[in-house]
Amino acid sequence: MADLHVPINHAEGGIAAQIAAQLREAIRRGRLTPGTRLPASRDLATDLAVSRGVVVEAYEQLVAEGFLISRVGSGTRVAPAAARPPAPPAPAGSEGPGPYYGHRPTSPDLGHFPRERWLASVRHVLTTAPSDALDYGDPGGVPELREELAGYLRRVRAADVAPENLVIVGGVAQGLSLVLHVLTQRTRTGRTRTGRAGARRTGTGRAGTGQIGRGGRLPLAIEDPTSHRQVPLLRRAGARLLPVPVDDQGLDVAALRDQPAEAVLVTPAHQYPTGVVLSPERRAALMEWAHTAGATVLEDDYDAEFRFDRDPVGCLQGLAPDRVILSGSVSKALAPGLRLGWVVAPAELAEAVRRARGELDLGSPVVEQYALAHFLRTGGYDKHLRRMRREYHRRRDSLVGALAEHLPEVRVHGIEAGLHIYLRLPDGWDEGRVSELAQEQGLAAEPVAPMRFTKGGPAVVVGFARLPAHRAVEAVRGLKVRMSGQSID
Amino acid sequence: MADLHVPINHAEGGIAAQIAAQLREAIRRGRLTPGTRLPASRDLATDLAVSRGVVVEAYEQLVAEGFLISRVGSGTRVAPAAARPPAPPAPAGSEGPGPYYGHRPTSPDLGHFPRERWLASVRHVLTTAPSDALDYGDPGGVPELREELAGYLRRVRAADVAPENLVIVGGVAQGLSLVLHVLTQRTRTGRTRTGRAGARRTGTGRAGTGQIGRGGRLPLAIEDPTSHRQVPLLRRAGARLLPVPVDDQGLDVAALRDQPAEAVLVTPAHQYPTGVVLSPERRAALMEWAHTAGATVLEDDYDAEFRFDRDPVGCLQGLAPDRVILSGSVSKALAPGLRLGWVVAPAELAEAVRRARGELDLGSPVVEQYALAHFLRTGGYDKHLRRMRREYHRRRDSLVGALAEHLPEVRVHGIEAGLHIYLRLPDGWDEGRVSELAQEQGLAAEPVAPMRFTKGGPAVVVGFARLPAHRAVEAVRGLKVRMSGQSID
């Protein structure tokens, strides 16, 4: 033990802690192996020119932590449990990020995030909220925000909602996770309302455990094509996916009728990726199906904030609040990084979602909930949305105009609303290659094939939220030039 | 239709929207029933003294939303799907809050939350972070915070951690939910490392679905007594609970050996509720068990910030980073309402937790993550902790002193660390009644019986974080007086 290397910085203080840290590191790195006897505290103290008490303190710390063992008569040794296997190789890390990570073509322009006004809201909360407001909050969301949001959704989305129908969640993703979790539990325990659902349930597993056997997966109809980023989430939450085609009216309800679905997930305000707004006839047919089948409609109020050529169409939930569960968020209106969203459901189901949240993570952070409530109450939210709607309208017009002029062979769809458009490419074009070339020109493009369950013609999604109006012509022209020099079909 | 009541405020503007809102409400409330034919737009316009275009616009809005149907030759009618069943009765609401909701005896004193310094950190983020920082973040947490926290945990908790071992979560509850979810998946798919786990797995269900069959629940040893608020969470996350007794050294590892556990959840720094700090011998024995059994130790670093009479003992994770998964949060150090915590795990498992998070809710809000990173970097966190440690030390001394003087028949345990103490009551005392009387005196008391899996003597937990030192004597004296006038045994 004469070679025990314990360099000490006497100027720094905390000598015992320094010694403990050195020894801990030596044990971890295998320089001191299990069973090794350490020098007597008196000897080490002499070596290091410190008082014996300091070494004793360091040893005691490591005994308390389990790195060392001290027994009368056998001195102090490195503990057997401190044996370290060789470190496993680091994970490749090259698998790429998770399915939802990073920038998306449809992200809003965060350069316009209202930083000062948002900071003012946070300041308001931190200077006025009582201390108890910082304690464990209601997992369903702070009452002030539920109240404000219910009012907002009634007014702007024509939703039929009171605060007890509303649960605050960390965005649409978490809203869907929780709702599917609750619905799947019900499928399993036979608590769905209709005989249809009851007849299909398998009844395996024990009630109240929240675990779902194979037979208990929720048959969920989804739009085809759909956001491929969402698919792993839906499956993890317990859904069995039943793709239903989308045409230029939206979800094909006739095709839906052929599916044994107990629920359907739709984006009526602006379908992703096709950009279709669900037509009035389809809205009626969808709700009729839901009533007849005793099924639930999960409405993702995607892009609803941005309707350009007319007043926004009210949400489906307002039409049939007993059948529709509405999910929305501030991700497009403010910023995805805020992770703030909501679920609107019949009161009894909202309560089940709230309880599930309480048994998952105890709810969303409270300060930003209060801040959003204040932002809504003082009109900051409306004002920001009006401003952004004008700006995005300009950007859309500019991009659509440039495409019509320079790439007339491409058919542009889904321009009525939202932050992306859908481009149908001529047959035979390579959508992947077009996407790459578009990205090179600064266009937020993505191929549609990964979003399809059944084969379809070549198409790309292009987000325009971050494309300044004056840049659109240049970008589209650049794309045209690049394409003419390439084999894209 | 002559009695269609549509009051309009001409001064307010948005006449079409007003008409649409009135009609929508009439349909919802059943005043206009499905199939009802609406007046021709010309007639209604005359009635209301508005232009016909305004009525057409209102009708079109409601057709788009699905409340009305318009067909050539048959006019405009209320849609069949707009039929509203009678509203179900509101839920009782008297079931009380979810298991984790509201103030707990062990909540910190939020009157000392460093509001100004925290606001300064948020301001720093909102004035300096690039726009992209507000986009979808890494579901594993923003890199800056992972870097800062890894450094902090190495320094203060002697953890063996690099940023790639660390996942930011919404508190210990979510950390446990995610870790158990991932471990349960592995139990099911047989990806645990040891033969022991492999032999017991049932292999039902399909790989990669994230759903767990009955046989795939994770056998998880837990401390008995334990936080009863956590039990529903552990079960929902897929655990089968195996209670193991806690004595005055901490978890009884000999009893643990008799259990078929693949993982164990412990609170070594300050057990809840008994307040025991896991002894050096038990730490060693626990890690030996884990290595031998190929099992995982889930370390809840509960109350670790507040060790009063000596340096804090390093976490178990630092001793065996390949076997221990550490969870912690800022709930005690700052505020539960921030919902910020972390999981430290071997890199490959940390990556699995990160991916699970990405498929659940896409990660924690980013602004407060950056704010915490700044708060750590600028020393605000350390400073606040030092200050609170001194204050809580005073409060603990005061409460313990008052109990020794005025209620010597009560045995006080668990005073070395944390924000609560554990009182063993004389046999035959009614812990529920004592709790109630204590609460009346302003003591944050809770009976222990609901936390026990096996019967034990009467005991209560008392939190002292919010009990100013000068109030302790008065509160304990008051309790004594109340008890002497009551039958508490």
Side-chain angles (χ1 to χ4, degrees):
Chain A
M1 284 310 308
D3 62 344
L4 187 61
H5 179 62
V6 184
I8 288 178
N9 182 343
H10 287 271
E12 260 199 8
I15 308 293
Q18 286 187 46
I19 297 172
Q22 301 269 352
L23 293 177
R24 196 188 284 121
E25 195 59 19
I27 295 167
R28 277 184 184 160
R29 302 304 157 215
R31 282 185 280 122
L32 285 176
T33 51
T36 305
R37 186 171 180 161
L38 268 72
S41 53
R42 188 186 319 266
D43 298 341
L44 186 58
T46 307
D47 284 359
L48 301 177
V50 299
S51 77
R52 191 186 160 204
V54 165
V55 175
V56 169
E57 191 184 336
Y59 280 12
E60 280 177 352
Q61 177 73 20
L62 295 177
V63 167
E65 291 178 8
F67 285 94
L68 300 180
I69 289 177
S70 180
R71 284 210 184 83
V72 178
S74 73
T76 302
R77 291 173 184 277
V78 177
R84 291 293 309 282
S94 57
E95 289 176 45
Y100 262 108
Y101 175 32
H103 177 64
R104 307 190 210 177
T106 57
S107 288
D109 186 352
L110 296 167
H112 283 86
F113 180 79
R115 293 181 181 226
E116 278 180 34
R117 292 190 68 125
W118 186 253
L119 179 60
S121 287
V122 173
R123 185 186 304 117
H124 175 81
V125 174
L126 285 174
T127 51
T128 64
S131 297
D132 282 350
L134 300 169
D135 212 333
Y136 293 98
D138 186 325
V142 306
E144 285 83 346
L145 178 56
R146 290 162 70 192
E147 185 81 44
E148 285 297 331
L149 263 180
Y152 173 80
L153 294 171
R154 279 196 303 269
R155 178 166 56 81
V156 173
R157 302 297 303 125
D160 189 355
V161 49
E164 66 265 27
N165 303 117
L166 204 145
V167 182
I168 305 298
V169 293
V172 169
Q174 191 182 46
L176 286 175
S177 291
L178 288 167
V179 167
L180 288 172
H181 179 74
V182 167
L183 291 180
T184 311
Q185 271 189 296
R186 290 172 179 216
T187 298
R188 189 178 43 70
T189 57
R191 289 186 60 196
T192 47
R193 282 179 235 178
T194 64
R196 196 176 172 189
R200 216 178 300 109
R201 74 172 194 267
T202 58
T204 57
R206 283 185 310 172
T209 61
Q211 293 307 315
I212 303 147
R214 248 185 116 161
R217 298 183 78 77
L218 180 80
L220 175 71
I222 57 169
E223 296 168 328
D224 178 12
T226 196
S227 167
H228 54 313
R229 294 186 181 84
Q230 211 166 44
V231 166
L233 179 148
L234 301 175
R235 290 204 166 117
R236 193 184 276 264
R240 179 161 65 87
L241 303 186
L242 307 169
V244 172
V246 169
D247 60 24
D248 59 2
Q249 303 280 303
L251 188 83
D252 180 346
V253 179
L256 172 62
R257 287 198 197 95
D258 296 337
Q259 294 284 1
E262 289 178 25
V264 59
L265 173 60
V266 286
T267 48
H270 194 224
Q271 205 269 334
Y272 190 85
T274 66
V276 175
V277 177
L278 191 66
S279 75
E281 295 72 25
R282 290 286 172 82
R283 287 169 73 100
L286 179 62
M287 293 325 303
E288 202 183 302
W289 169 82
H291 282 291
T292 309
T296 305
V297 176
L298 308 184
E299 177 178 25
D300 178 353
D301 210 18
Y302 186 80
D303 270 353
E305 299 86 353
F306 303 109
R307 176 83 193 216
F308 299 118
D309 302 313
R310 50 164 295 165
D311 278 351
V313 174
C315 60
L316 279 178
Q317 190 274 345
L319 192 60
D322 60 319
R323 282 281 152 220
V324 181
I325 300 175
L326 175 74
S327 301
S329 79
V330 304
S331 294
K332 293 288 180 81
L334 287 172
L338 293 179
R339 306 310 310 130
L340 269 174
W342 50 85
V343 167
V344 174
E348 180 262 346
L349 209 103
E351 174 61 17
V353 171
R354 171 178 169 271
R355 294 188 76 90
R357 183 95 203 262
E359 291 176 11
L360 172 70
D361 63 9
L362 318 195
S364 288
V366 296
V367 174
E368 287 181 328
Q369 290 189 65
Y370 286 112
L372 179 58
H374 184 258
F375 201 63
L376 283 160
R377 191 165 51 242
T378 56
Y381 196 79
D382 281 325
K383 191 175 162 187
H384 179 65
L385 269 180
R386 274 197 303 275
R387 185 171 150 242
M388 295 314 295
R389 201 177 290 123
R390 278 196 303 274
E391 181 60 31
Y392 290 141
H393 196 157
R394 249 197 307 276
R395 294 181 185 193
R396 183 207 66 170
D397 287 352
S398 174
L399 175 60
V400 170
L403 286 165
E405 188 176 342
H406 298 288
L407 285 175
E409 60 272 57
V410 165
R411 284 166 56 210
V412 180
H413 296 263
I415 67 170
E416 294 86 353
L419 304 185
H420 75 271
I421 55 177
Y422 180 80
L423 308 187
R424 287 196 198 172
L425 307 179
D427 282 346
W429 282 28
D430 177 344
E431 61 174 43
R433 191 70 195 122
V434 171
S435 273
E436 281 166 26
L437 295 175
Q439 283 163 24
E440 283 173 18
Q441 299 301 316
L443 292 165
E446 216 172 1
V448 171
M451 310 177 196
R452 294 191 194 281
F453 289 85
T454 49
K455 233 173 122 75
V460 294
V461 163
V462 179
F464 54 79
R466 302 192 192 202
L467 184 71
H470 69 273
R471 278 272 302 115
V473 171
E474 188 188 333
V476 172
R477 258 202 216 131
L479 172 61
K480 188 190 175 71
V481 170
R482 290 283 285 137
M483 277 166 49
S484 64
Q486 297 268 333
S487 153
I488 48 111
D489 55 6
Chain B
M1 284 310 307
D3 60 347
L4 188 61
H5 179 61
V6 184
I8 288 178
N9 182 343
H10 286 269
E12 259 199 8
I15 308 291
Q18 286 187 46
I19 297 172
Q22 302 269 354
L23 293 177
R24 195 188 285 121
E25 194 60 18
I27 295 168
R28 277 184 184 161
R29 302 303 157 216
R31 281 186 281 124
L32 285 175
T33 51
T36 305
R37 186 171 181 160
L38 267 71
S41 53
R42 188 186 317 267
D43 298 341
L44 186 57
T46 308
D47 283 358
L48 301 177
V50 299
S51 77
R52 189 185 161 205
V54 165
V55 174
V56 169
E57 191 184 337
Y59 280 11
E60 280 178 351
Q61 176 74 18
L62 294 177
V63 167
E65 292 178 7
F67 285 93
L68 300 180
I69 289 176
S70 181
R71 285 210 185 84
V72 177
S74 73
T76 302
R77 292 175 184 276
V78 177
R84 290 293 309 282
S94 58
E95 290 176 44
Y100 263 106
Y101 175 32
H103 177 63
R104 307 190 209 177
T106 57
S107 287
D109 186 351
L110 296 166
H112 284 85
F113 180 79
R115 292 180 181 226
E116 279 181 33
R117 292 190 67 125
W118 186 254
L119 179 60
S121 287
V122 174
R123 184 187 303 116
H124 174 82
V125 174
L126 285 175
T127 52
T128 64
S131 296
D132 282 349
L134 299 169
D135 210 333
Y136 292 99
D138 186 326
V142 306
E144 286 82 346
L145 178 56
R146 290 162 71 191
E147 186 79 44
E148 286 296 331
L149 262 180
Y152 174 81
L153 294 171
R154 279 196 304 269
R155 178 166 56 81
V156 173
R157 302 297 302 127
D160 189 355
V161 49
E164 67 264 27
N165 302 116
L166 203 144
V167 182
I168 305 298
V169 293
V172 169
Q174 191 183 44
L176 286 175
S177 291
L178 289 167
V179 167
L180 288 172
H181 180 73
V182 167
L183 291 179
T184 311
Q185 272 190 295
R186 290 172 180 217
T187 298
R188 190 178 41 70
T189 57
R191 288 186 60 197
T192 47
R193 283 179 234 177
T194 65
R196 200 178 169 187
R200 218 178 299 111
R201 72 172 195 268
T202 58
T204 57
R206 283 185 309 174
T209 60
Q211 293 306 316
I212 303 148
R214 248 184 117 161
R217 298 182 78 76
L218 180 79
L220 174 71
I222 57 168
E223 297 167 328
D224 179 12
T226 196
S227 166
H228 54 312
R229 293 186 181 84
Q230 211 167 43
V231 166
L233 180 147
L234 301 175
R235 291 203 167 119
R236 192 183 278 262
R240 178 162 65 87
L241 303 186
L242 307 169
V244 172
V246 169
D247 60 23
D248 57 3
Q249 304 279 303
L251 188 82
D252 181 347
V253 178
L256 173 61
R257 287 197 197 96
D258 296 336
Q259 294 284 2
E262 289 178 26
V264 59
L265 173 60
V266 285
T267 48
H270 194 223
Q271 205 268 335
Y272 190 84
T274 65
V276 175
V277 177
L278 192 64
S279 75
E281 294 73 25
R282 290 285 173 82
R283 286 169 75 99
L286 179 62
M287 293 325 303
E288 203 183 301
W289 169 82
H291 281 292
T292 309
T296 305
V297 176
L298 308 184
E299 178 178 24
D300 177 353
D301 211 19
Y302 186 79
D303 270 353
E305 299 86 354
F306 302 109
R307 175 85 191 213
F308 298 118
D309 301 313
R310 50 164 295 165
D311 278 351
V313 174
C315 61
L316 278 178
Q317 190 274 344
L319 192 62
D322 60 319
R323 282 280 151 221
V324 181
I325 299 175
L326 175 74
S327 301
S329 80
V330 304
S331 293
K332 293 289 180 80
L334 287 172
L338 293 179
R339 305 310 310 130
L340 269 172
W342 49 85
V343 167
V344 174
E348 179 262 346
L349 208 103
E351 175 60 19
V353 170
R354 171 178 169 272
R355 293 188 76 88
R357 183 94 203 263
E359 290 175 12
L360 172 71
D361 63 10
L362 317 195
S364 288
V366 296
V367 174
E368 287 182 327
Q369 290 189 65
Y370 285 113
L372 180 59
H374 184 259
F375 201 63
L376 282 161
R377 191 165 49 241
T378 55
Y381 196 78
D382 281 325
K383 192 175 163 189
H384 179 64
L385 269 181
R386 274 197 303 277
R387 183 171 151 241
M388 295 314 295
R389 201 177 290 121
R390 277 197 304 274
E391 182 60 31
Y392 290 142
H393 195 157
R394 248 197 308 276
R395 294 180 184 194
R396 183 206 65 169
D397 287 352
S398 174
L399 175 60
V400 171
L403 286 164
E405 188 177 342
H406 298 288
L407 284 175
E409 59 272 56
V410 165
R411 285 165 56 208
V412 180
H413 296 263
I415 67 170
E416 293 86 353
L419 303 185
H420 76 271
I421 54 176
Y422 180 79
L423 308 187
R424 286 197 198 172
L425 308 179
D427 282 346
W429 282 28
D430 177 345
E431 61 174 42
R433 190 70 193 121
V434 171
S435 272
E436 281 166 26
L437 295 175
Q439 283 163 22
E440 282 174 18
Q441 300 301 317
L443 293 165
E446 215 172 1
V448 171
M451 309 177 196
R452 295 190 194 280
F453 289 83
T454 49
K455 231 171 125 74
V460 295
V461 163
V462 180
F464 54 79
R466 303 191 192 202
L467 183 70
H470 69 274
R471 278 273 302 115
V473 170
E474 187 189 332
V476 173
R477 259 204 214 130
L479 172 60
K480 187 190 175 72
V481 170
R482 289 284 284 138
M483 276 166 49
S484 64
Q486 296 269 335
S487 154
I488 50 111
D489 56 4

